[in-house]
């Protein structure tokens, strides 16, 4: 990979969890990368905390991507998992392409890292 430089983009994810789906979730989001916005679909969280029909907004960034499509994939907990970024607790996840997702939001304190393992992001 000569000349390829990993880059960072901004990410906002809105995840809906319903108690009546067995710990299932779905949602949507946006990747901001090089001044453009790319719509994302979120799914695949099949266990963990269920907030009984809640809507959780997670914001953060994705690091180590070279093109927008690198954000797509299934994420798993990275290393220590929880990090403090700018004084805020954040969940750190990585996908199979090496993208590193750092997310924070109001519900992060209630979510353990494992709760978001299996998060699947697809480009729309």
């Amino acid at each position: 990979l000569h000349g390829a430089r990993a880059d960072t983009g901004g990410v906002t994810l809105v995840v809906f969890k319903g108690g009546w789906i067995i710990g299932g979730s779905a949602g949507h989001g946006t990747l901001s990368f090089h001044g453009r916005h790319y719509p994302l679909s979120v799914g695949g969280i099949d266990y963990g905390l269920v907030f009984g029909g809640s809507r959780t907004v997670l914001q953060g960034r994705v690091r180590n991507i070279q093109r927008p499509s690198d954000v797509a994939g299934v994420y798993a907990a990275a290393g220590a998992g929880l990090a403090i970024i700018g004084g805020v607790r954040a969940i750190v996840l990585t996908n199979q392409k090496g993208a590193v997702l750092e997310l924070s939001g109001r519900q992060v304190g209630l979510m353990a890292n494992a709760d978001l393992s299996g998060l699947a992001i697809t480009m729309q």
Side-chain angles (χ1 to χ4, degrees):
L1 284 167
H2 292 291
R5 201 174 72 75
D7 216 335
T8 299
V11 176
T12 300
L13 299 179
V14 180
V15 180
F16 297 94
K17 290 194 133 187
W20 49 272
I21 313 170
I22 304 168
S25 70
H28 57 85
T30 306
L31 167 68
S32 304
F33 190 66
H34 289 219
R36 296 188 57 197
H37 299 289
Y38 301 89
L40 305 174
S41 290
V42 180
I45 308 170
D46 56 2
Y47 65 93
L49 296 181
V50 175
F51 295 108
S54 72
R55 172 182 179 271
T56 302
V57 179
L58 298 170
Q59 290 184 299
R61 60 185 182 172
V62 59
R63 293 189 290 114
N64 206 30
I65 61 172
Q66 289 166 9
R67 61 194 65 82
S69 59
D70 288 348
V71 75
V74 177
Y75 285 80
L82 276 175
I84 305 291
I85 298 169
V88 178
R89 285 179 64 170
I91 293 173
V92 182
L93 304 165
T94 56
N95 74 4
Q96 70 275 19
K97 296 174 191 156
V100 179
L101 197 54
E102 298 171 346
L103 295 172
S104 58
R106 216 165 36 83
Q107 305 275 26
V108 163
L110 300 171
M111 285 184 188
N113 220 48
D115 297 330
L116 285 176
S117 279
L119 175 79
I121 294 179
T122 50
M123 301 283 291
Q124 286 184 355

